[in-house]
Amino acid sequence: MPAVIVDCAIYRDGRRIERPDDFSVALDEARDALDAFLWIGLHEPTEEEFDRVRDEFGLHPLAVEDALRAHQRPKLEVYDDSLFAVLKPIVYEPESDTVSTDELMVFIGDSFVVTVRHGEGAPLAAVRRRLEAEPEVLKHGPTAVLYAVSDAVVDHYMEVAGELQVDLEELEARVFAPSGGDAKNTAARIYTFKRQVLEFRRATGPLTAPMARLAGAGVPFVHEHAQPFFRDVADHLTRANEQVEGLDRLLSDILSAHLAQMGVRQNDDMRKISAWAAMAAVPTMVAGVYGMNFDHMPELHWVWTYPAVVALMGCAVFGLHRLFKRRGWL
């Protein structure tokens, strides 16, 4: 168990006391005190490692199964002895401009909070330090932890959305550049970007209903005065969802514009090819006539026939070139 326990502490009246050696004893101490609770943080526990936590805290088997298997949608579920929330933190890699998701599960109940983290992109140490620096918030018990974790995850959504907006502007400039760039690579990058935005929406969209529920009244194990705080988180989540939807719409528009540009460039290329083919057809036709084996070829014995025919072909090609140039085909 020490390998998966990231941190374990009792908080009394909003302040941290000494870390207990055994969380079973610590849980009993927290329940004996009226103003205390235990917060234990786990990182990717196995089923065997989580069995003791499940037995000591009385966690529901279905919630435990979700916490162990991960790959869950954001949700909020109420059981007899605990409240179970699933969040999906976003991880943004600036070097590769890619987005991925981790998972974070929160159990809150009678004088305890259990957080289970999957992945490396959502450490809770900063959240714990922030709460420990604000005892007036932390004194509200497990509800304060759920609020702080949700607020940190949603605020990071907005930061990542801002980074994606910058990447989108760079992609837009590349698509509408005069040269157009590498059409094949540009299309592939747009599709990759759309998949990242889709991954983002899978994390932010389903979280709307749980946040709205927490912002309302009557949720078990949630402090009765916590609704304004969760409404603030829900408002930030709405803004993040709007940013993600805007990114998705802009990507669709950019993809349509890119495909339209490719069609225009192909039409331009076809017109140029057609123009050069037409100019090549005139001398080919004249030369083809004089290449026939007739006994009575017109003007065959004229001295100026050859230069006259060459001049005629040159004038015809020059005239076609001027015509196509004036019409914008060349």
mmCIF file with all atom_site columns, all heavy atoms in Angstrom, residues 33 60 70 89 99 126 157 162 202 240 245 273 290 303 325:
data_model
loop_
_atom_site.group_PDB
_atom_site.id
_atom_site.type_symbol
_atom_site.label_atom_id
_atom_site.label_alt_id
_atom_site.label_comp_id
_atom_site.label_asym_id
_atom_site.label_entity_id
_atom_site.label_seq_id
_atom_site.pdbx_PDB_ins_code
_atom_site.Cartn_x
_atom_site.Cartn_y
_atom_site.Cartn_z
_atom_site.occupancy
_atom_site.B_iso_or_equiv
_atom_site.pdbx_formal_charge
_atom_site.auth_seq_id
_atom_site.auth_comp_id
_atom_site.auth_asym_id
_atom_site.auth_atom_id
_atom_site.pdbx_PDB_model_num
ATOM 1   N N   . ALA A 1 33  ? -13.767 12.658 16.022   1.00 0.00 ? 33  ALA A N   1
ATOM 2   C CA  . ALA A 1 33  ? -13.792 14.123 16.127   1.00 0.00 ? 33  ALA A CA  1
ATOM 3   C C   . ALA A 1 33  ? -14.895 14.675 15.230   1.00 0.00 ? 33  ALA A C   1
ATOM 4   O O   . ALA A 1 33  ? -15.101 14.213 14.106   1.00 0.00 ? 33  ALA A O   1
ATOM 5   C CB  . ALA A 1 33  ? -12.439 14.702 15.721   1.00 0.00 ? 33  ALA A CB  1
ATOM 6   N N   . HIS A 1 60  ? -18.809 1.393  -2.310   1.00 0.00 ? 60  HIS A N   1
ATOM 7   C CA  . HIS A 1 60  ? -19.699 0.526  -3.075   1.00 0.00 ? 60  HIS A CA  1
ATOM 8   C C   . HIS A 1 60  ? -18.908 -0.264 -4.115   1.00 0.00 ? 60  HIS A C   1
ATOM 9   O O   . HIS A 1 60  ? -18.019 0.277  -4.775   1.00 0.00 ? 60  HIS A O   1
ATOM 10  C CB  . HIS A 1 60  ? -20.782 1.374  -3.762   1.00 0.00 ? 60  HIS A CB  1
ATOM 11  C CG  . HIS A 1 60  ? -21.943 0.580  -4.233   1.00 0.00 ? 60  HIS A CG  1
ATOM 12  N ND1 . HIS A 1 60  ? -21.927 -0.129 -5.417   1.00 0.00 ? 60  HIS A ND1 1
ATOM 13  C CD2 . HIS A 1 60  ? -23.172 0.354  -3.671   1.00 0.00 ? 60  HIS A CD2 1
ATOM 14  C CE1 . HIS A 1 60  ? -23.089 -0.732 -5.574   1.00 0.00 ? 60  HIS A CE1 1
ATOM 15  N NE2 . HIS A 1 60  ? -23.861 -0.461 -4.538   1.00 0.00 ? 60  HIS A NE2 1
ATOM 16  N N   . ALA A 1 70  ? -10.928 2.271  -14.638  1.00 0.00 ? 70  ALA A N   1
ATOM 17  C CA  . ALA A 1 70  ? -10.797 3.567  -15.338  1.00 0.00 ? 70  ALA A CA  1
ATOM 18  C C   . ALA A 1 70  ? -11.587 3.531  -16.644  1.00 0.00 ? 70  ALA A C   1
ATOM 19  O O   . ALA A 1 70  ? -12.528 2.766  -16.793  1.00 0.00 ? 70  ALA A O   1
ATOM 20  C CB  . ALA A 1 70  ? -9.335  3.911  -15.572  1.00 0.00 ? 70  ALA A CB  1
ATOM 21  N N   . PRO A 1 89  ? -9.108  14.840 -16.268  1.00 0.00 ? 89  PRO A N   1
ATOM 22  C CA  . PRO A 1 89  ? -8.175  15.948 -16.518  1.00 0.00 ? 89  PRO A CA  1
ATOM 23  C C   . PRO A 1 89  ? -7.571  15.849 -17.918  1.00 0.00 ? 89  PRO A C   1
ATOM 24  O O   . PRO A 1 89  ? -7.362  14.763 -18.450  1.00 0.00 ? 89  PRO A O   1
ATOM 25  C CB  . PRO A 1 89  ? -7.104  15.757 -15.435  1.00 0.00 ? 89  PRO A CB  1
ATOM 26  C CG  . PRO A 1 89  ? -7.738  14.859 -14.416  1.00 0.00 ? 89  PRO A CG  1
ATOM 27  C CD  . PRO A 1 89  ? -8.685  13.993 -15.152  1.00 0.00 ? 89  PRO A CD  1
ATOM 28  N N   . VAL A 1 99  ? -3.227  16.426 -27.324  1.00 0.00 ? 99  VAL A N   1
ATOM 29  C CA  . VAL A 1 99  ? -4.093  16.409 -26.154  1.00 0.00 ? 99  VAL A CA  1
ATOM 30  C C   . VAL A 1 99  ? -4.393  14.966 -25.782  1.00 0.00 ? 99  VAL A C   1
ATOM 31  O O   . VAL A 1 99  ? -4.692  14.141 -26.649  1.00 0.00 ? 99  VAL A O   1
ATOM 32  C CB  . VAL A 1 99  ? -5.419  17.159 -26.436  1.00 0.00 ? 99  VAL A CB  1
ATOM 33  C CG1 . VAL A 1 99  ? -6.415  16.938 -25.314  1.00 0.00 ? 99  VAL A CG1 1
ATOM 34  C CG2 . VAL A 1 99  ? -5.144  18.645 -26.598  1.00 0.00 ? 99  VAL A CG2 1
ATOM 35  N N   . ALA A 1 126 ? -0.623  20.066 -5.762   1.00 0.00 ? 126 ALA A N   1
ATOM 36  C CA  . ALA A 1 126 ? -0.861  21.512 -5.793   1.00 0.00 ? 126 ALA A CA  1
ATOM 37  C C   . ALA A 1 126 ? -2.230  21.857 -5.217   1.00 0.00 ? 126 ALA A C   1
ATOM 38  O O   . ALA A 1 126 ? -2.390  22.868 -4.516   1.00 0.00 ? 126 ALA A O   1
ATOM 39  C CB  . ALA A 1 126 ? -0.745  22.029 -7.225   1.00 0.00 ? 126 ALA A CB  1
ATOM 40  N N   . TYR A 1 157 ? -8.904  23.032 -18.003  1.00 0.00 ? 157 TYR A N   1
ATOM 41  C CA  . TYR A 1 157 ? -9.594  22.950 -19.287  1.00 0.00 ? 157 TYR A CA  1
ATOM 42  C C   . TYR A 1 157 ? -9.464  24.265 -20.051  1.00 0.00 ? 157 TYR A C   1
ATOM 43  O O   . TYR A 1 157 ? -9.177  24.284 -21.254  1.00 0.00 ? 157 TYR A O   1
ATOM 44  C CB  . TYR A 1 157 ? -11.077 22.646 -19.082  1.00 0.00 ? 157 TYR A CB  1
ATOM 45  C CG  . TYR A 1 157 ? -11.412 21.237 -18.667  1.00 0.00 ? 157 TYR A CG  1
ATOM 46  C CD1 . TYR A 1 157 ? -12.665 20.933 -18.132  1.00 0.00 ? 157 TYR A CD1 1
ATOM 47  C CD2 . TYR A 1 157 ? -10.496 20.202 -18.806  1.00 0.00 ? 157 TYR A CD2 1
ATOM 48  C CE1 . TYR A 1 157 ? -12.983 19.641 -17.749  1.00 0.00 ? 157 TYR A CE1 1
ATOM 49  C CE2 . TYR A 1 157 ? -10.811 18.910 -18.423  1.00 0.00 ? 157 TYR A CE2 1
ATOM 50  C CZ  . TYR A 1 157 ? -12.055 18.638 -17.894  1.00 0.00 ? 157 TYR A CZ  1
ATOM 51  O OH  . TYR A 1 157 ? -12.380 17.360 -17.525  1.00 0.00 ? 157 TYR A OH  1
ATOM 52  N N   . GLY A 1 162 ? -7.097  27.568 -24.378  1.00 0.00 ? 162 GLY A N   1
ATOM 53  C CA  . GLY A 1 162 ? -6.331  28.710 -24.867  1.00 0.00 ? 162 GLY A CA  1
ATOM 54  C C   . GLY A 1 162 ? -5.122  28.288 -25.694  1.00 0.00 ? 162 GLY A C   1
ATOM 55  O O   . GLY A 1 162 ? -4.815  28.904 -26.726  1.00 0.00 ? 162 GLY A O   1
ATOM 56  N N   . ARG A 1 202 ? -15.003 14.994 -25.126  1.00 0.00 ? 202 ARG A N   1
ATOM 57  C CA  . ARG A 1 202 ? -15.405 13.824 -24.340  1.00 0.00 ? 202 ARG A CA  1
ATOM 58  C C   . ARG A 1 202 ? -15.128 14.009 -22.856  1.00 0.00 ? 202 ARG A C   1
ATOM 59  O O   . ARG A 1 202 ? -15.751 13.363 -22.021  1.00 0.00 ? 202 ARG A O   1
ATOM 60  C CB  . ARG A 1 202 ? -14.662 12.589 -24.852  1.00 0.00 ? 202 ARG A CB  1
ATOM 61  C CG  . ARG A 1 202 ? -15.157 12.083 -26.200  1.00 0.00 ? 202 ARG A CG  1
ATOM 62  C CD  . ARG A 1 202 ? -14.285 10.947 -26.698  1.00 0.00 ? 202 ARG A CD  1
ATOM 63  N NE  . ARG A 1 202 ? -14.764 10.430 -27.973  1.00 0.00 ? 202 ARG A NE  1
ATOM 64  C CZ  . ARG A 1 202 ? -14.090 9.583  -28.732  1.00 0.00 ? 202 ARG A CZ  1
ATOM 65  N NH1 . ARG A 1 202 ? -12.879 9.162  -28.349  1.00 0.00 ? 202 ARG A NH1 1
ATOM 66  N NH2 . ARG A 1 202 ? -14.600 9.149  -29.871  1.00 0.00 ? 202 ARG A NH2 1
ATOM 67  N N   . ALA A 1 240 ? -15.615 26.762 -20.954  1.00 0.00 ? 240 ALA A N   1
ATOM 68  C CA  . ALA A 1 240 ? -14.691 25.830 -21.600  1.00 0.00 ? 240 ALA A CA  1
ATOM 69  C C   . ALA A 1 240 ? -15.387 25.054 -22.715  1.00 0.00 ? 240 ALA A C   1
ATOM 70  O O   . ALA A 1 240 ? -14.824 24.860 -23.800  1.00 0.00 ? 240 ALA A O   1
ATOM 71  C CB  . ALA A 1 240 ? -14.114 24.863 -20.564  1.00 0.00 ? 240 ALA A CB  1
ATOM 72  N N   . GLU A 1 245 ? -16.414 23.988 -28.466  1.00 0.00 ? 245 GLU A N   1
ATOM 73  C CA  . GLU A 1 245 ? -17.350 23.959 -29.591  1.00 0.00 ? 245 GLU A CA  1
ATOM 74  C C   . GLU A 1 245 ? -16.936 24.951 -30.672  1.00 0.00 ? 245 GLU A C   1
ATOM 75  O O   . GLU A 1 245 ? -17.043 24.672 -31.872  1.00 0.00 ? 245 GLU A O   1
ATOM 76  C CB  . GLU A 1 245 ? -18.757 24.271 -29.098  1.00 0.00 ? 245 GLU A CB  1
ATOM 77  C CG  . GLU A 1 245 ? -19.354 23.163 -28.225  1.00 0.00 ? 245 GLU A CG  1
ATOM 78  C CD  . GLU A 1 245 ? -20.692 23.552 -27.651  1.00 0.00 ? 245 GLU A CD  1
ATOM 79  O OE1 . GLU A 1 245 ? -21.183 24.669 -27.962  1.00 0.00 ? 245 GLU A OE1 1
ATOM 80  O OE2 . GLU A 1 245 ? -21.268 22.749 -26.884  1.00 0.00 ? 245 GLU A OE2 1
ATOM 81  N N   . ILE A 1 273 ? -2.911  23.245 -68.107  1.00 0.00 ? 273 ILE A N   1
ATOM 82  C CA  . ILE A 1 273 ? -2.609  22.089 -68.953  1.00 0.00 ? 273 ILE A CA  1
ATOM 83  C C   . ILE A 1 273 ? -3.388  22.151 -70.259  1.00 0.00 ? 273 ILE A C   1
ATOM 84  O O   . ILE A 1 273 ? -2.860  21.881 -71.351  1.00 0.00 ? 273 ILE A O   1
ATOM 85  C CB  . ILE A 1 273 ? -2.917  20.790 -68.178  1.00 0.00 ? 273 ILE A CB  1
ATOM 86  C CG1 . ILE A 1 273 ? -1.953  20.636 -66.997  1.00 0.00 ? 273 ILE A CG1 1
ATOM 87  C CG2 . ILE A 1 273 ? -2.828  19.574 -69.098  1.00 0.00 ? 273 ILE A CG2 1
ATOM 88  C CD1 . ILE A 1 273 ? -2.300  19.491 -66.072  1.00 0.00 ? 273 ILE A CD1 1
ATOM 89  N N   . TYR A 1 290 ? 1.456   18.513 -93.463  1.00 0.00 ? 290 TYR A N   1
ATOM 90  C CA  . TYR A 1 290 ? 2.595   18.476 -94.365  1.00 0.00 ? 290 TYR A CA  1
ATOM 91  C C   . TYR A 1 290 ? 3.433   17.200 -94.206  1.00 0.00 ? 290 TYR A C   1
ATOM 92  O O   . TYR A 1 290 ? 4.369   16.978 -94.942  1.00 0.00 ? 290 TYR A O   1
ATOM 93  C CB  . TYR A 1 290 ? 3.465   19.720 -94.156  1.00 0.00 ? 290 TYR A CB  1
ATOM 94  C CG  . TYR A 1 290 ? 2.884   20.914 -94.843  1.00 0.00 ? 290 TYR A CG  1
ATOM 95  C CD1 . TYR A 1 290 ? 1.977   21.743 -94.176  1.00 0.00 ? 290 TYR A CD1 1
ATOM 96  C CD2 . TYR A 1 290 ? 3.207   21.192 -96.171  1.00 0.00 ? 290 TYR A CD2 1
ATOM 97  C CE1 . TYR A 1 290 ? 1.414   22.817 -94.818  1.00 0.00 ? 290 TYR A CE1 1
ATOM 98  C CE2 . TYR A 1 290 ? 2.646   22.276 -96.811  1.00 0.00 ? 290 TYR A CE2 1
ATOM 99  C CZ  . TYR A 1 290 ? 1.752   23.092 -96.133  1.00 0.00 ? 290 TYR A CZ  1
ATOM 100 O OH  . TYR A 1 290 ? 1.185   24.161 -96.765  1.00 0.00 ? 290 TYR A OH  1
ATOM 101 N N   . VAL A 1 303 ? 9.251   28.074 -102.712 1.00 0.00 ? 303 VAL A N   1
ATOM 102 C CA  . VAL A 1 303 ? 10.520  28.289 -102.011 1.00 0.00 ? 303 VAL A CA  1
ATOM 103 C C   . VAL A 1 303 ? 10.277  28.717 -100.568 1.00 0.00 ? 303 VAL A C   1
ATOM 104 O O   . VAL A 1 303 ? 10.997  28.320 -99.644  1.00 0.00 ? 303 VAL A O   1
ATOM 105 C CB  . VAL A 1 303 ? 11.369  29.340 -102.757 1.00 0.00 ? 303 VAL A CB  1
ATOM 106 C CG1 . VAL A 1 303 ? 12.664  29.635 -102.001 1.00 0.00 ? 303 VAL A CG1 1
ATOM 107 C CG2 . VAL A 1 303 ? 11.669  28.866 -104.171 1.00 0.00 ? 303 VAL A CG2 1
ATOM 108 N N   . LYS A 1 325 ? -3.670  34.048 -71.707  1.00 0.00 ? 325 LYS A N   1
ATOM 109 C CA  . LYS A 1 325 ? -3.120  34.916 -70.693  1.00 0.00 ? 325 LYS A CA  1
ATOM 110 C C   . LYS A 1 325 ? -4.135  35.969 -70.269  1.00 0.00 ? 325 LYS A C   1
ATOM 111 O O   . LYS A 1 325 ? -4.287  36.288 -69.085  1.00 0.00 ? 325 LYS A O   1
ATOM 112 C CB  . LYS A 1 325 ? -1.851  35.589 -71.219  1.00 0.00 ? 325 LYS A CB  1
ATOM 113 C CG  . LYS A 1 325 ? -1.013  36.297 -70.173  1.00 0.00 ? 325 LYS A CG  1
ATOM 114 C CD  . LYS A 1 325 ? -0.243  35.294 -69.356  1.00 0.00 ? 325 LYS A CD  1
ATOM 115 C CE  . LYS A 1 325 ? 0.740   36.002 -68.437  1.00 0.00 ? 325 LYS A CE  1
ATOM 116 N NZ  . LYS A 1 325 ? 1.502   35.040 -67.622  1.00 0.00 ? 325 LYS A NZ  1
#
